[in-house]
């Protein structure tokens, strides 16, 4: 009995659901804001009840939806529905999968179970499982769900009431046959004849007599085969018309009804019968469930019915009998009714007993115990034997086994020794656990009694697959091939089987193959047994194939995974994969589709309407483009960043409003293995960013494939190739610093009583002992990499004390990554350093900005990276910045995160300040254990003596880490499924010590706390004084990840519940940085409070391997400056540090990014590490960044120009020459400022262009001016070349060399080199092209083999051309040479200046001459 709601069991006599349903409206009016779940035993009945309740409750504004295997609903539709009508199996599947669907489970307030007497039928175990799961959910969540059971009269209704937790005094209502609104007369007829023909004749004769007797009213005759409806109706007509010819059925008042008829014909028969035009309706049993037709009398002809599940004839169930009898004498149509059942004589007593309720109904739960146990284990509600034994006590099986133990094989003595049957239940659980473990569906450790679900077990649970095998799902079902089926199966195989049917028609699996292909081809079947078998195959094929697909995906078989996914879609669409993809659109006719497949498009596509429709459908076929970039993290782990962009026209009616589901996996074609797989939803018009890691092995494979396949659409797939030919793996990491076995150093080694009084302990830990001398007695830069909880803050204080001792007028700057960490340090040091040592401590953050005097007087400045970056930019004008003696950077491993670029800028600027001031600044970096500490140390200017990078295992307090993977495609359900394992972790690892649980959001803190409280009250766990709160100091603290950085709370156990958080910018869930996870783990086992710590990491199962690797191994730190380089260049330009492109190049060389670029080039998309490639990469990077700033109007770029030289300022611009300059500018290729035609520099520019273009000058004065310009140009260019060579500016130097060549030769750089020859003009070039048809390539080795130039040597025809042109040639000798480049740039050959055939003489044009 629950404190809020009362469970009710209503027992009615032979009433069907419609009568019982009138009593439900009062319940629903009370629960309009919640959700009501109505469980009907059959889909046909669920459809009828949906229609009934929809009409009945529409005035109340209550939405009623059907949720069955035929009617699927989205999560949003479910949440918008007040009443769901479903079947037991469907609701079982929903609750199996949606333990994490918190919203749905919270709104269900009423569960109505119709036909509860089904407990003794095959689907009884499903009802038991549903009730047990619901009651346990109520107890665990304290969210009340009322249960209403509706049933026919039962002899042991008290047992059913006990099972439903009904208070018999208040909630139990029992009504026997006396209370039936319409009295029902029941007739039982037994046929003794064994001859089949005589038996049928006798049946027809008896039916005829009964029909004649009851002809005054309507009669429904129920048969059990579709073709039997026609035969029976015809037989009745013949018996009534012995002396006449056989007449048509309808004029005689006879009709038939079965599922094989057309929908219009069935509706016609229903309408005619309901209006009274038909007196006798011969139908199958499905009519009793699906349609509410009135009838005065019902007759059941025979009780043998074909069961497709068993593949044999079985007895008609008592549920069907009562449902059929319920059609007789409906309250709103009749005053009394008649029910007759005709069966064999040996079955007469069986049905008589069942209908008169002489035997109690028993439980069938034992037969499916293993399957239901597996479902609960996969669900997470049962994790060990004790919980499984407790779970069994909620079943109807437990109620009946205690009431009637002999029926379940328990003798009286055993029951007396174990009245609660705990040992019996334990034996059943252990036996089932062994079976499941043998089938690899769970992992069962008998010694501890713990269960753990496997991928195979979860798949079997979600897809309703039996525990024994998946492959033989059809073996026991359709193993019989009847003689009468053979001929039709052969016809089906010939007509509809597109693929070879292995086994043919002689065996069971061949039959399944033929029926499945017939279903896909939409073929028609005549035989009743084959129709039933085909229906069963169709209902189960999609479920089983989908399960096999997930199994293959978990097994990492790429080819099998792809084939099974395609087969899933083939069955769902009933369309072969090789069919035309446009067949998936229902708005295209078969004629159009056939023409498309025959490629007869000319006439059809020119039709206005059809052509437009086909075009629209083509554009609506889902298609995506994928772009992948790879980043080596280590030599064995590769990060892949994938950009998925939709490339089709979205239509909500076709694709839905939520998103298109896709499967993605990375496969190795050589080893036939999947390294990563995941499911994602492609959003409407939004590109999808997917980041994941995959393993890489040496020697490197040639390539991997990224394959994306639509979950719904045939032919919708894409492949992206990851090529490893140019992949450069990072260098191997140097070994860690060994922790020496030293005697612990006492705090008295500080030599200062004030310092010693700051610490409550007497000796430093081993790490602090080993680094003490370097930090306290030297000024060496230090990088300390140690696990969280190693006492790095005390190490920072050692370095501070040295400044206080030796440099009392200098300042200490301590940089913490978060304002919360700054506040924590301020609260601590305000007392320990300011009050006890008398040193001024100042907080400098975005929230607290002290005045200039306070900062000037401060000895210790505690700040954040962003704030110190802003302060130090103007270091020339701020003397306190120049007085900094030591810069302590806490959590310096965050260089690889979002705020990493700021840290890079700070360190680079600090080194720059040191080089411009008299005193150097000591840098101390504090970090977790690093994989590439040597690179970071080199960047910080740290020698070997200052580098301490300890292993993660040298933690002063040992930390035990447990990693658990959880499946699930959706975030919220996955988070909820982690709640019980979190509770179990508290029970196992820290029942009496503080626990810290990290979640991703504020909402998750509340949900987690509520679930843990519910588990606590349900299990009565002995945790003394447990208090669960959200971010308040207590035994169990649930907090977001920011607490890991902000507050130093001690905890014995840390649980990281999920490693993802929602990123509002990208509108998706992304992973925590690995540094955040390590920081959370570091809160376990604090040195001052614990002698050991434990951490439990709950992750998405596809990321388990990644966290296994990097939670036990150090993580390499890469630079993140590249994505925000433009911002920081802009800041340096504004500060005056960078004033040219070369300054930008120099600035980059100071950064950590430049260090890592050389060590791990592929991470930053650098193809090779040659000097030329690095120089080109950096040049392009600077050019691109500066161009972005220029386009954003943040900076202006002024180019160095020869025309702007001061020597040309005195070039005369005579009267009206501005007009001449304007006319000359129209003839030249390069534009000039139209408002500066009167400028001497503009005139110089035009004269140089005219010289290169051989343009005609407007007057003789311009010829003289040109000579003046050229005389000065060579001298100016030579000076510019020396200046830029001294600076090492390669690109500028090459450009000046090209300009000198152009001035000397009087040609543009892109002109043909043949124009350099005397008397060869532009109009003569065609002669060379006409006669020169063969080329001989000669390589001239210049400059001692450093440079190679490919020249074109003309054939003998060139001399003929020259002779024709009146040229006198005796010797043609070409001598080419290069300028002698300065030493710093001599060995660089930029890609833009590669010497190719097009330019012929290339750079050599300056000194090219003809002798």
């Amino acid at each position: 009995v629950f404190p809020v709601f009362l469970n009710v069991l209503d027992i009615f006599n032979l009433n069907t659901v419609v009568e019982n349903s009138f009593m439900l409206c009062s319940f629903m009016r009370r629960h309009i804001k919640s959700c009501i779940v109505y469980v009907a035993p059959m889909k046909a009945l669920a459809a009828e009840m949906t229609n009934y309740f929809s009409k009945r409750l529409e005035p109340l504004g209550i939405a009623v939806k059907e949720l069955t295997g035929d009617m699927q609903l989205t999560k949003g539709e479910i949440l918008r529905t007040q009443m769901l009508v479903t079947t037991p199996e469907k609701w079982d599947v929903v609750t199996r999968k949606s333990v994490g669907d918190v919203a749905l489970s919270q709104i269900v307030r009423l569960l109505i179970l119709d036909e509860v007497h089904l407990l003794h039928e095959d689907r009884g175990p499903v009802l038991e499982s549903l009730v047990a799961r619901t009651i346990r959910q109520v107890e665990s969540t304290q969210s009340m769900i009322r249960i209403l059971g509706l049933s026919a009269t039962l002899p042991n209704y008290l047992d059913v009431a006990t099972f439903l937790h009904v208070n018999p005094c208040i909630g139990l209502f029992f009504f026997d046959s006396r209370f039936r609104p319409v009295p029902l007369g029941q007739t039982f007829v037994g046929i003794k004849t064994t001859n089949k023909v005589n038996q049928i004749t006798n049946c027809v004769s008896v039916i005829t007599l009964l029909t004649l007797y009851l002809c005054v009213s309507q009669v429904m005759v129920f048969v059990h085969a579709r073709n039997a409806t026609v035969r029976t109706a015809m037989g009745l007509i013949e018996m009534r018309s012995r002396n006449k010819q056989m007449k048509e059925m309808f004029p005689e008042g006879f009709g038939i009804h079965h599922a094989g008829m057309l929908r219009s014909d069935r509706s016609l028969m229903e309408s005619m019968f309901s209006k009274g035009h038909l007196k006798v309706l011969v139908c199958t049993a499905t009519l009793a469930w699906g349609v509410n037709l009135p009838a005065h009398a019902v007759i059941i002809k025979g009780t043998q019915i074909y069961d497709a599940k068993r593949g044999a004839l079985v007895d008609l169930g008592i549920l069907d009998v009562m449902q059929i009898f319920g059609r007789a004498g409906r309250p709103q149509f009749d005053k009394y009714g008649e029910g007759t059942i005709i069966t064999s004589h040996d079955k007469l007593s069986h049905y008589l007993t069942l209908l008169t309720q002489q035997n109690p109904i028993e439980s069938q739960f034992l037969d499916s115990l293993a399957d239901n146990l597996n479902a609960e284990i996969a669900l997470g509600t049962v994790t060990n034997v004790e919980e499984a034994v407790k779970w069994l006590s909620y079943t109807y099986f437990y109620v009946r086994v205690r009431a009637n133990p002999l029926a379940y094989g328990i003798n009286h003595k055993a029951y007396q020794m174990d009245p609660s049957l705990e040992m019996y239940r334990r034996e059943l659980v252990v036996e089932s656990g062994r079976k499941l473990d043998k089938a690899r569906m769970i992992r069962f450790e008998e010694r501890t009694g713990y269960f753990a679900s496997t991928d195979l077990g979860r798949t079997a649970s979600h897809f309703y697959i039996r525990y024994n095998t998946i492959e033989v799902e059809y073996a026991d079902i359709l193993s019989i091939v009847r003689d009468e089926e053979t001929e039709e199966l052969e016809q089906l195989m010939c007509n509809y089987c597109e693929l070879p049917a292995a086994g043919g028609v002689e065996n069971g699996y061949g039959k399944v193959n033929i029926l499945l292909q017939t279903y896909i081809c939409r073929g028609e079947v005549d035989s009743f047994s084959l129709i039933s078998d085909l229906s069963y195959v169709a209902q189960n094929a999609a479920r089983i194939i989908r399960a096999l697909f997930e199994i293959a995906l978990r097994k990492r078989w790429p080819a099998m995974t792809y084939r099974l996914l395609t087969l899933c879609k083939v069955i769902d669409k009933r369309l072969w994969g090789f069919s035309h993809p446009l067949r998936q659109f229902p708005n295209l006719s078969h004629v159009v589709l056939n023409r498309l497949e025959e490629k007869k498009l000319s006439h059809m596509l020119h039709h206005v309407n059809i052509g437009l429709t086909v075009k629209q459908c083509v554009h609506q076929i889902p298609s995506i483009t994928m772009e992948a970039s790879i980043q080596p993290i280590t030599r064995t782990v590769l990060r892949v960043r994938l950009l998925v962009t939709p490339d089709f026209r979205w239509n909500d009616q076709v694709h839905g409003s939520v998103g298109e589901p896709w499967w993605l996996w990375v496969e190795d074609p050589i080893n036939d293995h999947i390294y990563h797989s995941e499911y994602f939803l492609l959003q409407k018009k939004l590109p999808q960013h997917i980041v994941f890691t995959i393993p890489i092995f040496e020697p490197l494979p040639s390539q991997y494939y990224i394959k994306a396949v639509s979950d719904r659409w045939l032919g919708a797939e894409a492949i992206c190739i990851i090529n490893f030919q140019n992949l450069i793996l990072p260098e191997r990491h140097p070994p860690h610093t060994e922790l020496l076995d030293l005697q612990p150093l006492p705090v008295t080694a500080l030599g200062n009583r004030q310092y010693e009084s700051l610490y409550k302990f007497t000796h430093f830990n081993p790490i602090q002992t080993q680094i003490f001398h370097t930090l306290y007695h030297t000024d060496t830069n230090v990088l300390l990499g140690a696990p969280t909880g190693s006492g790095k803050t005390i190490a920072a204080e050692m370095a501070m004390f040295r400044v206080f001792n030796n440099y009392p007028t200098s300042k200490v700057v301590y940089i913490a990554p978060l304002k919360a960490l700054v506040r924590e340090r301020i609260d601590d040091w305000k007392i320990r350093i300011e009050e006890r040592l008398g040193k001024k401590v100042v907080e400098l953050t975005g929230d607290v900005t002290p005045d200039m005097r306070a900062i000037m007087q401060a000895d210790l400045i505690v700040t954040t990276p962003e704030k110190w970056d802003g302060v130090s930019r103007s270091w020339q004008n701020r003397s306190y910045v120049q007085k900094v003696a030591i810069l302590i950077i806490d959590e310096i491993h965050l260089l690889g995160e979002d705020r990493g670029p700021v840290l890079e800028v700070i360190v680079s600027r600090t080194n720059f300040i040191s080089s411009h001031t008299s005193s150097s600044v000591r840098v101390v970096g504090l970090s977790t254990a690093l994989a590439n500490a040597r690179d970071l140390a080199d960047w910080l200017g740290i020698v070997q003596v200052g580098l301490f990078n300890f292993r993660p295992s040298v933690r002063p307090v040992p930390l035990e880490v447990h990693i658990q993977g959880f499946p699930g495609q959706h975030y919220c359900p996955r988070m909820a499924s982690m709640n019980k394992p979190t509770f179990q972790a508290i029970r196992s690892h820290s029942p009496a010590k503080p626990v810290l649980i990290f979640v991703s959001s504020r909402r998750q803190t509340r949900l987690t706390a509520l679930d843990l409280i519910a588990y606590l009250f349900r299990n009565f766990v002995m945790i003394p004084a447990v208090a669960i709160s959200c971010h308040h100091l207590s035994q169990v603290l649930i907090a977001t990840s920011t607490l890991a950085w902000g507050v130093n709370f001690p905890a014995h156990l840390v649980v990281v519940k999920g490693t993802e958080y929602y990123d509002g910018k990208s509108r998706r869930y992304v992973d925590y940085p690995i540094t955040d996870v390590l920081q959370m783990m570091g809160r376990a086992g604090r040195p001052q409070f614990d002698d050991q710590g434990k951490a439990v990491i709950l992750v998405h199962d596809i990321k388990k391997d990644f966290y296994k690797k990097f939670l036990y191994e150090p993580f390499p730190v890469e630079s993140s400056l590249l994505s925000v380089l433009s911002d920081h260049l802009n800041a340096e330009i504004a500060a005056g540090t960078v004033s040219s492109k070369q300054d930008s190049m120099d600035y980059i060389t100071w950064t950590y990014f430049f260090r890592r670029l050389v060590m791990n080039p592929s991470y930053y998309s650098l193809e090779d590490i040659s000097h030329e490639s690095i120089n080109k990469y950096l040049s392009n990077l600077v050019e691109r960044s500066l161009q972005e700033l220029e386009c954003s109007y943040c900076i202006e770029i002024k180019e160095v120009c020869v025309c702007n030289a001061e020597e040309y300022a005195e070039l005369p611009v005579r009267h009206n020459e501005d007009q001449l300059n304007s006319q000359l500018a129209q003839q030249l290729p390069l534009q000039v400022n139209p408002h500066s035609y009167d400028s001497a520099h503009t005139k110089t520019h035009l004269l140089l262009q005219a010289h290169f273009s051989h343009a005609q000058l407007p007057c003789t004065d311009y010829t003289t001016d040109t000579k003046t310009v050229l005389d000065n140009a060579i001298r100016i260019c030579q000076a510019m070349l020396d200046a830029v060579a001294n600076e090492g500016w390669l690109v500028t130097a090459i450009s000046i060399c090209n300009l000198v060549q152009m001035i000397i030769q009087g040609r543009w750089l892109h002109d043909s080199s043949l124009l350099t020859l005397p008397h060869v003009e532009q109009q003569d070039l065609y002669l060379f092209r006409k006669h020169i048809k063969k080329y001989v390539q000669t390589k001239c080795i210049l400059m001692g083999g450093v440079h190679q130039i490919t020249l074109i040597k003309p054939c003998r025809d060139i001399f003929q051309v020259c002779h024709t042109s009146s040229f006198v040639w005796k010797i043609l000798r070409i001598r080419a040479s290069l300028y002698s480049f300065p030493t710093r740039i001599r060995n660089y050959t930029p890609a833009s200046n590669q010497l190719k055939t097009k330019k012929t003489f290339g750079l050599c044009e300056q000194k090219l001459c003809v002798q």
Side-chain angles (χ1 to χ4, degrees), residues 707-933:
K707 183 172 286 187
V709 184
S710 173
D711 189 60
R712 295 177 55 239
W713 291 82
L714 286 166
E717 55 191 63
I719 295 179
C720 180
I721 298 177
I722 306 178
N723 199 315
F724 298 124
Q725 291 183 353
N726 297 322
L727 180 66
I728 304 175
L729 296 179
E731 297 294 331
R732 298 188 184 276
H733 302 306
H736 292 274
T737 304
E738 294 295 332
L739 184 62
L740 304 179
D741 188 13
L742 302 176
Q743 189 72 22
L745 194 67
V747 294
T748 55
L750 293 169
N752 187 313
R753 291 188 177 276
Q754 286 184 313
Y755 297 162
E756 297 168 16
S757 64
L758 299 179
Y759 302 109
K760 298 179 181 179
F761 51 85
T762 59
H763 291 77
F764 294 112
N765 66 32
I767 293 178
Q768 295 163 351
T769 299
Q770 186 166 336
I771 65 177
F772 178 81
H773 176 79
T774 304
L775 284 172
Y776 193 68
H777 293 292
T778 69
D779 289 327
T780 305
N781 289 357
V782 174
L783 174 61
L784 172 58
T788 306
S790 302
K792 294 190 290 290
T793 303
I794 295 176
E797 292 174 353
M798 294 178 186
M800 294 179 192
F801 295 157
R802 176 167 179 79
V803 176
F804 295 159
N805 292 339
N806 299 345
Y807 312 101
T809 60
S810 299
K811 300 184 184 301
V812 176
V813 175
Y814 179 92
I815 299 177
L818 296 173
K819 289 186 289 185
L821 281 180
V822 171
R823 171 50 51 187
E824 180 187 354
R825 289 292 92 227
I826 286 292
D827 293 341
D828 181 31
W829 285 337
K830 276 286 186 180
I831 298 174
R832 296 174 59 243
I833 293 181
E834 184 168 319
E835 294 183 5
R836 296 187 182 181
L837 299 184
K839 300 294 183 180
K840 182 67 174 177
V841 180
V842 170
E843 177 183 357
L844 186 60
T845 62
D847 297 337
V848 180
T849 304
D851 56 19
M852 188 66 64
R853 180 180 300 177
I855 299 177
M856 291 291 295
Q857 296 175 354
D859 298 293
L860 172 59
I861 300 174
V862 185
T863 183
T864 58
E866 291 79 7
K867 192 65 178 179
W868 188 249
D869 178 32
V871 168
S872 60
R873 286 178 183 177
S874 304
W875 62 272
Q876 301 94 334
N877 303 325
R878 292 171 175 167
S879 58
Y880 62 86
V881 178
Q882 302 177 23
K883 291 183 180 181
V884 174
I886 184 172
L887 183 68
I888 302 173
I889 305 177
D890 196 4
E891 314 293 352
I892 199 172
H893 56 270
L894 294 178
L895 275 170
E897 307 304 332
D898 293 340
R899 59 189 60 212
V902 182
L903 293 177
E904 288 193 49
V905 171
I906 290 174
V907 174
S908 301
R909 189 178 295 123
T910 300
N911 294 332
F912 184 81
I913 294 174
S914 299
S915 64
H916 285 71
T917 56
S918 57
S919 60
S920 61
V921 179
R922 186 184 190 187
V923 177
V924 175
L926 307 177
S927 169
T928 60
L930 299 172
N932 54 342

Side-chain angles (χ1 to χ4, degrees), residues 695-713:
I696 193 74
F697 307 97
E698 295 184 74
L700 290 176
S702 59
Q703 59 191 15
Y704 284 170
Y705 293 158
I706 301 179
K707 183 172 286 187
V709 184
S710 173
D711 189 60
R712 295 177 55 239
W713 291 82

